Amino acid sequence: MGIFDDDFYSTKVSRRARSTSSKDEFAFSNKKGMRNWSNVRIAFVASFTSAVAAVLLFVLVFGGGGIGPGSHAASVSASGSASLEQRTIQASAKVRPAVVSVINEQTVPYGLAPGDGTQEQAGSGEEGQIQGSKQEVGVGSGVIFKLKDGKAYIITNHHVIAGAESVKVMLVNGEKREAKIVGSDQITDLAVLEMDGKDIKTAAEIGKSSKLQPAEFVLAIGNPLGLGDSLSMGIVSKTHRVVPVSLNEDGVYDWQQEVIQVNVSINEGNSGGPLIDMDGKVVGINSMKIAEVGVEGLGFAIPIDNAMPIIDSLMEKGYVSRPYLGVYTVDLEQYFAQKQQEEQAAGSDGKTDQGAGAASGSEESDLPELNLPDEVFNGVIVLEAVGPAKDAGMKLNDVIVKLDEKSISSTLELRQYLYQTKHIGDEIKVTFYRDGKLKTALFKLAEKTKDE
């Protein structure tokens, strides 16, 4: 019966065939050998059919990739690797012409070497500076996402161009072009640049970050450590992660960023570059990494679905329109921490540690007396009131504890409540302490402009 234990592939003759054969024998009994010849023919045809079917099935199952144990697995593995490799090459080739290096230029002090804070004699080599000249103080990445009216528009990070007096863009072919900042937003860490679009043919295609899945392969393209046109590959570790950030880089977390977590290598200079899927579509803007000893494979990208509404607003207005309360604040928790540090520095026996005393300084000894009730530990202190808050009568050292009926314990919570639940023109009730007395102010939220 051979390989397959099945009547379809066997050389047996069915009952119907046997019956037909008997009738033939009876009708043509004068033809000797007819039955024997017929059986041989049937057996031959059945055997041939069985062999052909076996070969076809073997090819379908094993892919014709060799004979012997393990040949099927090797064939499938090789096919899968080739497919992924080809998709990676095609995806990167599709986007790479649209990826650029973004150079932040600022005027540096006389003789200051950029990046390390050391002093060198002006004109003493490559690092020597001429007073008043603009120098590269930072390099990041960006991606061209739109070509219109002879202009090319680039997405990058806010922190890449922060403080820039001028911005240059280096194309993938090494050509440098002047660029101008269309708009920038510190909260979301996004910015848009504009440059001459002459001879630029490629704009990256925007994808959908909402379609990403954990373990999906992605690529980061950018300018890590100044090494332009570099690619790194990894997987999506988590499609939605919330990480705290310090907008003023003072160590105080005053915002939370929604990001895609990846294990792709994200290094200094990758910021602002695209994170792409295997179809060559931009699904994120590389933004940050965890840079601590012993931490590896923790990179973050701004989801493109979150980024595009911000980009559209920057293109239209140059800033992101948000409701504006009109207060600059510091957390009450910080006030208590500084006050405790001041008391510890002073010491109960008058013996002040030199280091602690130097650290506290005169500024900490000038902390205002807020005269808060003993049960009040959370809130934000008003450092300055402007716009609608000033018009409503709020002043320096007022301590905000509620917005509407929502308790507020930090600047982060204040921003979150405003930006996530309120709109321009909405009324808001602010509850605050002034000289130990609880007060309220009711006013309308204004629009936060670019200058504010």
Side-chain angles (χ1 to χ4, degrees):
M1 209 161 31
I3 299 176
F4 300 97
D5 188 15
D6 187 288
D7 281 348
F8 182 79
Y9 293 107
S10 76
T11 57
K12 296 178 186 176
V13 181
S14 66
R15 292 178 182 176
R16 183 177 178 183
R18 287 197 297 269
S19 175
T20 303
S21 177
S22 298
K23 290 178 182 179
D24 289 343
E25 183 180 4
F26 177 78
F28 302 99
S29 58
N30 61 330
K31 298 182 180 179
K32 289 185 179 181
M34 175 63 76
R35 180 181 180 187
N36 292 336
W37 181 87
S38 179
N39 285 342
V40 170
R41 181 176 65 177
I42 292 172
F44 175 78
V45 171
S47 298
F48 180 77
T49 303
S50 176
V52 170
V55 170
L56 288 175
L57 189 59
F58 183 87
V59 170
L60 288 173
V61 175
F62 292 93
I67 299 175
S71 60
H72 172 53
S75 173
V76 171
S77 176
S79 175
S81 298
S83 175
L84 176 61
E85 179 183 7
Q86 194 61 35
R87 290 187 68 191
T88 303
I89 293 171
Q90 291 173 351
S92 61
K94 182 179 178 181
V95 181
R96 284 171 67 185
V99 180
V100 299
S101 299
V102 179
I103 303 167
N104 182 328
E105 294 185 335
Q106 299 178 27
T107 302
V108 297
Y110 181 82
L112 180 64
D116 58 7
T118 58
Q119 296 288 332
E120 292 190 5
Q121 185 177 354
S124 62
E126 232 180 305
E127 297 296 337
Q129 309 299 328
I130 300 174
Q131 188 174 13
S133 66
K134 291 180 182 178
Q135 303 294 331
E136 295 182 9
V137 297
V139 180
S141 303
V143 59
I144 299 170
F145 75 102
K146 188 174 186 178
L147 299 173
K148 183 180 179 181
D149 299 331
K151 302 292 184 181
Y153 295 91
I154 301 161
I155 302 173
T156 188
N157 285 143
H158 164 83
H159 75 261
V160 169
I161 51 88
E165 296 176 34
S166 62
V167 177
K168 282 189 173 64
V169 168
M170 182 182 292
L171 305 180
V172 70
N173 62 5
E175 178 188 352
K176 283 186 180 180
R177 295 188 183 184
E178 296 284 345
K180 76 173 186 177
I181 300 172
V182 175
S184 183
D185 184 57
Q186 183 183 19
I187 296 289
T188 56
D189 195 23
L190 290 166
V192 175
L193 308 178
E194 176 192 289
M195 70 175 181
D196 182 9
K198 182 180 179 182
D199 297 328
I200 296 176
K201 306 298 183 184
T202 303
E205 185 178 354
I206 302 299
K208 287 284 186 181
S209 53
S210 58
K211 293 184 177 180
L212 286 175
Q213 299 182 45
E216 183 174 340
F217 283 104
V218 284
L219 288 166
I221 311 178
N223 182 36
L225 306 179
L227 303 173
D229 192 27
S230 292
L231 299 93
S232 54
M233 182 177 177
I235 62 167
V236 174
S237 303
K238 191 171 179 63
T239 57
H240 178 83
R241 177 78 71 190
V242 176
V243 297
V245 294
S246 176
L247 296 176
N248 299 320
E249 298 183 0
D250 56 3
V252 178
Y253 296 130
D254 43 17
W255 188 243
Q256 288 182 327
Q257 184 76 279
E258 294 183 21
V259 293
I260 303 164
Q261 181 185 330
V262 295
N263 74 340
V264 182
S265 297
I266 305 293
N267 292 293
E268 184 178 351
N270 271 120
S271 294
L275 185 75
I276 67 171
D277 61 17
M278 290 296 98
D279 293 323
K281 297 179 181 179
V282 178
V283 293
I285 302 298
N286 300 316
S287 181
M288 59 182 119
K289 65 176 289 187
I290 302 298
E292 295 181 8
V293 176
V295 177
E296 294 181 5
L298 278 176
F300 301 103
I302 302 167
I304 201 65
D305 291 1
N306 295 359
M308 289 315 295
I310 303 299
I311 298 303
D312 292 341
S313 182
L314 293 177
M315 289 283 287
E316 181 183 352
K317 299 181 177 180
Y319 63 94
V320 178
S321 182
R322 292 190 178 96
Y324 185 46
L325 186 63
V327 291
Y328 295 91
T329 62
V330 65
D331 295 353
L332 188 59
E333 183 181 4
Q334 286 179 265
Y335 168 85
F336 286 130
Q338 289 182 4
K339 193 170 184 179
Q340 184 180 22
Q341 185 181 10
E342 178 184 313
E343 291 171 354
Q344 290 175 346
S348 58
D349 58 358
K351 294 181 180 179
T352 303
D353 179 76
Q354 265 192 328
S360 60
S362 59
E363 288 186 11
E364 293 186 351
S365 64
D366 291 336
L367 288 174
E369 287 297 329
L370 301 177
N371 299 317
L372 294 170
D374 292 341
E375 67 272 14
V376 178
F377 294 100
N378 296 313
V380 293
I381 306 170
V382 176
L383 300 179
E384 184 181 3
V386 297
K390 183 179 180 180
D391 294 341
M394 298 195 69
K395 297 179 180 180
L396 172 69
N397 294 332
D398 287 347
V399 180
I400 299 173
V401 292
K402 280 186 179 181
L403 295 180
D404 294 330
E405 299 306 316
K406 167 71 174 176
S407 295
I408 299 298
S409 63
S410 65
T411 301
L412 189 154
E413 290 185 1
L414 183 146
R415 283 199 177 107
Q416 284 182 317
Y417 183 77
L418 283 179
Y419 299 161
Q420 296 175 0
T421 65
K422 307 295 283 187
H423 301 89
I424 297 164
D426 285 354
E427 280 198 340
I428 190 166
K429 179 183 176 183
V430 181
T431 303
F432 60 96
Y433 282 95
R434 179 183 294 168
D435 295 326
K437 296 180 181 179
L438 193 63
K439 297 179 176 290
T440 60
L442 186 67
F443 55 93
K444 286 187 177 182
L445 294 169
E447 179 182 11
K448 188 172 184 179
T449 64
K450 183 177 180 180
D451 293 335
E452 292 167 330

